[in-house]
Amino acid sequence: MATNAPERTERDITGLLNIAGHAMANRLAAALDEIDLTPRVQCVLIHALEADRTQIQLAALADLDKTTMVTTIDEMERRGLAERRQSATDRRARIIAVTDRGRAAAAEGQRIVDAVHAEALSALSPASRKAFLEALCTLADNRDTGPVRRARGR
């Protein structure tokens, strides 16, 4: 049967990244679920442990919208993993402070994250792994966050 599809010059990079990302997200969610964490909570815990950060700063680092961030912090407070504290430099701002319980959960979660990543990357040789991670970081660091503009051809 004849096809009228245009010839592809490269494999569908977007599709491949989506498939790989979806698989990794599912693996990570299943592994963290064993210790009653989600990838989102783990991400926020790690970023909150790195420095005193507000909810807004953490949302930006975790790539979460405002509403999702509020519900995430509410859940973390309810579970005793973190608490909102008044900022020492801005009375209007709240710092998300990780509790001892949250610190322990983040450490265990990070061991799991590292194991899941190592398992996924084990299919690659050490040289390929290094090149893959460097390329992935380059793509992520150089993303255009602005709106997509398309030329209108007629």
Side-chain angles (χ1 to χ4, degrees), residues 23-32 109-122:
M24 282 299 302
N26 285 339
R27 284 182 190 174
L28 188 58
L32 286 172
Q110 192 58 51
R111 284 190 286 278
I112 290 170
V113 169
D114 292 343
V116 169
H117 290 171
E119 180 184 334
L121 293 172
S122 70

Side-chain angles (χ1 to χ4, degrees), residues 8 11-28 120 132 136:
R8 291 185 185 206
R11 290 197 56 191
D12 180 3
I13 296 169
T14 303
L16 293 171
L17 287 170
N18 284 336
I19 290 167
H22 185 72
M24 282 299 302
N26 285 339
R27 284 182 190 174
L28 188 58
F132 171 74
L136 194 58

Side-chain angles (χ1 to χ4, degrees), residues 59-125:
L61 288 167
D63 197 26
L64 298 174
D65 62 73
K66 184 178 175 181
T67 301
T68 302
M69 188 65 198
V70 169
T71 59
T72 301
I73 300 301
D74 288 347
E75 175 190 349
M76 291 168 61
E77 279 191 315
R78 181 183 52 76
R79 295 182 54 207
L81 302 173
E83 58 189 26
R84 291 172 174 98
R85 293 186 185 157
Q86 189 171 356
S87 169
T89 58
D90 182 352
R91 293 184 334 166
R92 297 166 296 169
R94 298 284 180 259
I95 299 297
I96 305 306
V98 178
T99 64
D100 289 341
R101 184 177 192 177
R103 191 172 284 104
E108 180 63 19
Q110 192 58 51
R111 284 190 286 278
I112 290 170
V113 169
D114 292 343
V116 169
H117 290 171
E119 180 184 334
L121 293 172
S122 70
L124 302 173
S125 70

